[in-house]
Structures are given as C-alpha cells and as structure tokens.
Amino acid sequence: MEKVNFQNAKPILQKEYSIPPHMYDSAFKDYQRKFVYPTNYIISAVVAIIAIIDIVMVATGKSPALIVLAVLCVAVIVAVWLHTSSVRKKFVQNIAKVKDERQTAQFFDDGIIVTIIPKGSTNGEQIVIDFSKDNVKLLDKNYYFIAYIVKSHFCIIPKKVFDAAEETTLSKTFQKKLGSNYIK
C-alpha cells in the first residue's frame, strides 16, 4: 500500500458502516450516468449518423450493399448500451456475495482511507483516496458520497452515518480540496 502524508495526521472524522446491496446498484447507476453515459451518447450519435448516411445512400440508389453497414451500426449502438447494463448487473451480483462486510472510512483534510473488512475477519483491505491527485472524483448524491479513483476504485460512503454538521464539514472539505472534481 502506498503511504501518503495525511496518514500520520489525526482524522477529521471516522465512521464504520455497511452498505446494503440496493445502495450499490443505485450508486453504480449514478456513477454510470456521470462517467459512462456521456461516452455512450457520443458513440451512439456518431454511429447513428453513419447509419443515417448509409440509409440515405441506399434510398438514392448509390449502393444497396450499404444497408448491411446501417444494420451493423444499429447493432453497435444496441451493444454499447447492453454492455453498460450488463456491467452494472454483474457488479451488483458480485457485491451481493460480500454484502456483510464492514467498512471504515477515515476522513482527513487531504484524503480518505477506506478499510473494507470481510465478514468474520479483523483485517481488511485499505483504499487510499489522495485528494492531491487528479484522478480522484467525488460525487455528492442525496444518500451517499461516491469516491471514484479513475480506472481503479469506486467507494460508496452512506450519508446516513453522519449528522448534518458532519455532512456539511465533509462537503466543504471535499469542495475545497477537489474543486471541479467534487460534483454535486
């Protein structure tokens, strides 16, 4: 595990919690809406334009064989969206297998350390979320925070474990440290 400077400091806040499976599904949908859907929209639009051009060319008699390309374009669009849905379903199925794990989050000025402790164990895996790195994004949703380390980790921190003052303190800290990577 990578050692970071803030690990030696005293945490602002520390909470232990577990995450119900339905929250994983909801949080992963929010994650996909923010980070996956935009790419899917672009791919779908480009491929749809190609399909429309092919259909117009077939309709004007230029090349009847282009209808095959138009059908392939539609298939690509469907595949992109089915893949996104399939990834979420597999994620939720895998999470259901470890639903009884406990998590501890330590919040520092410069980051978060999340420890995931499997059921029946006393030791866990630590995930370090260092705010000084550009690859950290944090979504602030109604019922949870989603800390996302790009192409690495996805952590959900339920807001129900915080009182209003703690939630406000965390939101302000995240806003100050992450700037535009803090997404409300």
Side-chain angles (χ1 to χ4, degrees):
M1 181 184 76
E2 176 185 336
K3 185 88 169 159
V4 289
N5 292 336
F6 63 82
Q7 279 183 297
N8 297 328
K10 184 176 187 247
I12 300 169
L13 191 59
Q14 181 170 325
K15 293 289 182 174
E16 185 172 311
Y17 54 88
S18 61
I19 301 170
H22 71 86
M23 188 176 283
Y24 278 107
D25 185 41
S26 176
F28 202 73
K29 282 179 189 173
D30 286 334
Y31 156 78
Q32 285 184 320
R33 281 185 199 111
K34 186 64 184 169
F35 300 111
V36 178
Y37 283 15
T39 303
N40 285 4
Y41 291 137
I42 291 168
I43 291 169
S44 296
V46 169
V47 174
I49 290 169
I50 293 169
I52 291 167
I53 291 169
D54 292 341
I55 292 169
V56 168
M57 290 178 79
V58 168
T60 60
K62 297 233 175 178
S63 178
L66 287 176
I67 197 70
V68 174
L69 185 56
V71 170
L72 284 174
C73 287
V74 171
V76 167
I77 293 170
V78 170
V80 163
W81 289 99
L82 285 177
H83 176 70
T84 301
S85 176
S86 172
V87 166
R88 187 178 70 249
K89 286 178 186 174
K90 286 179 185 175
F91 174 77
V92 172
Q93 287 171 352
N94 288 334
I95 289 300
K97 296 174 188 172
V98 293
K99 65 181 177 184
D100 293 327
E101 67 187 11
R102 293 182 340 262
Q103 296 187 25
T104 301
Q106 294 177 302
F107 300 90
F108 300 87
D109 280 330
D110 296 320
I112 305 169
I113 298 175
V114 176
T115 306
I116 301 169
I117 307 162
K119 183 178 182 178
S121 177
T122 55
N123 296 333
E125 172 194 358
Q126 281 194 337
I127 299 168
V128 176
I129 303 164
D130 186 351
F131 296 159
S132 67
K133 299 192 175 167
D134 290 337
N135 65 344
V136 174
K137 299 188 184 300
L138 200 130
L139 293 176
D140 185 343
K141 301 311 262 180
N142 288 338
Y143 301 105
Y144 42 77
F145 294 107
I146 301 171
Y148 172 52
I149 303 171
V150 178
K151 296 182 182 180
S152 177
H153 286 90
F154 169 91
C155 297
I156 302 166
I157 303 164
K159 288 184 175 181
K160 68 182 180 183
V161 298
F162 306 112
D163 62 33
E166 291 171 335
E167 187 178 328
T168 301
T169 299
L170 288 177
S171 293
K172 287 179 181 178
T173 300
F174 298 153
Q175 176 80 41
K176 183 174 108 183
K177 290 295 183 176
L178 294 170
S180 65
N181 285 346
Y182 172 73
I183 305 158
K184 189 110 169 116

